[in-house]
Amino acid sequence: MKSKPANNIQDLQFFGEFGGVNPSISDSSTYTFLSANSMSETFEGNIEGCYLYSRNSSPSNLYLEEACAALEGTEAANVFSSGMGAITATILQLCKSEDHIISSRTVYGGTYAFLKNFTPQLKIETTFVDITSLDDINNSIKPNTKIIYCEVSSNPLLEIADLKEISKIAKKNNIKLVVDNTFTPLSVSPAKYGADVVIHSLTKFINGTSDTIAGVVCSSKEFIHSLRDVNDGAFMLMGTTMDSLRAASVLKNMRTLHIRMKKHSENAMYLAESFEKDGIKAVYPGLKSHPSHKIFSKMMNKEYGYGGMVTIDAGSLETANKLMEKMQDKNLGYLAVSLGFYKTLFCAPGSSTSSEISDEEQEKMGLNEGLIRFSVGLDQDISRTYEGIKKCLKEFNLI
Ligand SMILES: *Cc1c(COP(=O)(O)O)cnc(C)c1O
C-alpha cells in the first residue's frame, strides 16, 4: 500500500491534446469507431482505452478518477454527480432484497434517510449501531449482513470509527466495509486499514470551492467495473454521471488539497483548543479530551492533522441560532450547511443537516439541539477570528 497520498496525486502526469499543462476536456457525449467490431467489444466492456458513451465513462472523468484512486490508494475509482449518488449506487450494488446492513447511527442525514426510509421498501434492512462499540457491531451481525457502513469521523458528532478493528470484524464475517471519508481526506486513508469501498462527497473539502455537487467511489477494479456494467451496474443504470467540464474543474481544485487540508486542520485545532480553554464544550478529534483521540492519532497521516470540523454546544437551539446570526453579521463565517470552503461555515445540525433524524433518536445519540458544527475556513489569522467569536460568545453569556 502506498502511504503518501499527496505525492501519489502529484506524480500523475496528464498532458492536454496540444501539450497543455492541464488535460484537454472531453466535450463529447459519444465517440466514433473506425471498425464496427470494436464498437460491439467496447459495449461488452472488453476494450481498455475505448470510449462508447459518456454516461459510462469519459476521458476527463477518468483523469479525476485516477487522482481519486491515488488519493485513497485504491486500484480504481468512479466519479458521480453527487456524494449521495456515490453512496446509493454503492449500497444498491452490494445489497439485494432480503439483505442486511449495519450502519453507524451517526452518519450524514441523507445517508441515514436512505437507510432508514428508502431501502426498507426494497426489503433491505439496516441496524443502526454505536460505531465506537465493537461489541455492538459484533452483536448485530446476521447471516444476511452484506455491509458495515460508517464515516471515519461521523457527521455531526465527530465519533471516530476504529477502522482497523471494524475491518477485522468485516473480513471475518465476509462483509464489505464501506467508509465515507468526506470529513477527513488525506488525513485518513481507510483502504490502508481494510476498507473495501471508500466514498467521498467531492462537494466538500476535495473540490473546496463550494461551486458544485460531486461524489466518488474508490475501490477495487472489480467493484468499479461492476458499478459501470451496462447490464446490472447501479452507476450505469441509475445514470448519476458527472459532467466532463465539471470533472476537469474538480481535478484542478484537487491540486491544492494537501495545502488546504493542513490549513483547515491547523485552524480547527486552534479554535477547538481556544473554545476548550475558555470553558466552551468543544468536540474535536485533535483534543485530548476527545474519547477517540488516541485511535484517530494512530490512524492518521500526521502531516494533515485532525481535519477541519469542530463542534461546540451552545446549550439551546435559540442561543445557537442567535450566536450564528451574530457571527455571520461580524463576517466571521457564513451561516450555511456544507463544508470545506475557504470561509468558515456553521450550522445547527439538529435542525438542518441531520433533521432527517427524529428528535427522539437525536437525543439517544447525543445530538443536542444547541450543537453548532463548524467547518473551519482557511483564515490567514485564526487568532483574530477567535477574538471575534469570543466577543459573540460573551454577548450571549456563554463565557
Ligand atoms: C455532504 C455529504 C454527503 C452527501 O454528498 P452530496 O455531494 O451533497 O450528495 C455524504 N456524506 C457526508 C459525510 C457529507 O458531508
Side-chain angles (χ1 to χ4, degrees):
M1 177 60 60
K2 302 174 204 165
S3 61
K4 292 279 184 186
N7 289 0
N8 298 339
I9 299 170
Q10 216 154 54
D11 288 348
L12 293 170
Q13 201 180 44
F14 310 130
F15 294 115
E17 198 176 353
F18 304 103
V21 294
N22 287 305
S24 304
I25 300 175
S26 48
D27 199 18
S28 294
S29 58
T30 188
Y31 304 83
T32 58
F33 286 83
L34 292 176
S35 89
N37 204 20
S38 56
M39 179 184 274
S40 66
E41 284 181 17
T42 304
F43 220 96
E44 285 159 18
N46 291 337
I47 298 186
E48 283 285 330
C50 273
Y51 301 93
L52 177 74
Y53 185 58
S54 288
R55 172 151 45 79
N56 187 244
S57 81
S58 68
S60 294
N61 289 15
L62 283 189
Y63 291 131
L64 178 58
E65 284 159 359
E66 268 190 62
C68 291
L71 163 71
E72 289 301 351
T74 57
E75 282 178 357
N78 194 81
V79 293
F80 291 75
S81 53
S82 73
M84 280 310 295
I87 291 165
T88 54
T90 297
I91 290 168
L92 295 179
Q93 195 68 35
L94 293 172
C95 291
K96 301 289 168 264
S97 178
E98 312 289 346
D99 284 342
H100 174 248
I101 297 170
I102 295 171
S103 169
S104 165
R105 62 186 184 185
T106 57
V107 284
Y108 178 69
T111 309
Y112 182 84
F114 185 69
L115 295 173
K116 178 90 181 173
N117 307 324
F118 195 98
T119 46
Q121 302 172 53
L122 310 173
K123 292 203 168 71
I124 298 168
E125 298 299 333
T126 299
T127 305
F128 292 95
V129 300
D130 172 357
I131 203 69
T132 63
S133 160
L134 299 176
D135 285 343
D136 214 4
I137 299 171
N138 260 317
N139 294 336
S140 304
I141 294 173
K142 299 181 185 185
N144 58 342
T145 305
K146 292 287 156 61
I147 294 178
I148 297 176
Y149 187 96
C150 64
E151 295 170 1
V152 174
S153 176
S154 81
N155 181 33
L157 293 177
L158 310 182
E159 288 177 338
I160 305 303
D162 187 343
L163 297 175
K164 204 168 165 187
E165 294 305 317
I166 297 171
S167 133
K168 275 188 209 158
I169 298 174
K171 295 244 172 336
K172 201 171 86 194
N173 293 280
N174 204 18
I175 298 170
K176 297 283 185 217
L177 175 59
V178 178
V179 179
D180 180 337
N181 195 22
T182 300
F183 276 23
T184 44
L186 287 174
S187 290
V188 178
S189 306
K192 202 160 80 181
Y193 301 104
D196 298 289
V197 181
V198 183
I199 298 177
H200 284 279
S201 165
L202 297 173
T203 313
K204 314 294 171 52
F205 288 106
I206 293 180
N207 186 56
T209 45
S210 293
D211 57 357
T212 192
I213 301 288
V216 69
V217 170
C218 305
S219 186
S220 63
K221 274 189 185 151
E222 188 191 356
F223 184 65
I224 297 302
H225 281 158
S226 75
L227 285 168
R228 288 181 189 155
D229 193 293
V230 294
N231 291 304
D232 60 6
F235 161 72
M236 182 62 179
L237 299 177
M238 296 199 294
T240 41
T241 308
M242 183 187 284
D243 184 71
S244 290
L245 295 174
R246 188 52 80 177
S249 169
V250 175
L251 178 63
K252 282 178 277 189
N253 287 349
M254 205 173 159
R255 297 285 174 221
T256 56
L257 179 66
H258 57 299
I259 303 168
R260 290 186 281 113
M261 283 318 295
K262 284 181 196 175
K263 193 67 180 168
H264 283 299
S265 291
E266 183 189 314
N267 285 353
M269 186 66 141
Y270 185 92
L271 286 193
E273 283 178 338
S274 304
F275 284 132
E276 199 166 63
K277 216 165 54 217
D278 284 330
I280 298 281
K281 199 176 149 213
V283 175
Y284 185 62
L287 292 175
K288 291 207 172 65
S289 59
H290 189 291
S292 301
H293 173 69
K294 285 209 176 98
I295 291 173
F296 196 104
S297 301
K298 237 165 74 187
M299 262 193 314
M300 73 198 279
N301 298 315
K302 291 273 179 288
E303 67 231 81
Y304 304 107
Y306 293 87
M309 306 301 292
V310 178
T311 69
I312 62 167
D313 193 345
S316 71
L317 180 59
E318 202 193 335
T319 311
N321 285 345
K322 278 197 277 193
L323 180 65
M324 290 191 295
E325 285 167 9
K326 191 76 190 174
M327 289 191 296
Q328 175 162 263
D329 190 45
K330 297 288 175 199
N331 200 14
L332 299 165
Y334 295 144
L335 172 44
V337 301
S338 199
L339 36 136
F341 200 33
Y342 82 95
K343 194 94 172 174
T344 296
L345 304 178
F346 35 79
C347 64
S351 55
S352 59
T353 52
S354 295
S355 59
E356 294 90 341
I357 304 170
S358 71
D359 290 352
E360 194 191 351
E361 280 165 309
Q362 287 195 19
E363 197 184 314
K364 220 166 37 184
M365 60 180 69
L367 207 178
N368 301 336
E369 56 165 23
L371 192 83
I372 299 178
R373 183 186 83 178
F374 288 81
S375 162
V376 182
L378 299 172
D379 309 30
Q380 164 63 23
D381 190 351
I382 194 69
S383 60
R384 184 183 68 146
T385 307
Y386 187 69
E387 284 311 309
I389 295 175
K390 203 166 160 176
K391 276 192 196 140
C392 301
L393 292 167
K394 278 187 179 149
E395 189 167 328
F396 299 109
N397 296 319
L398 287 163
I399 53 177

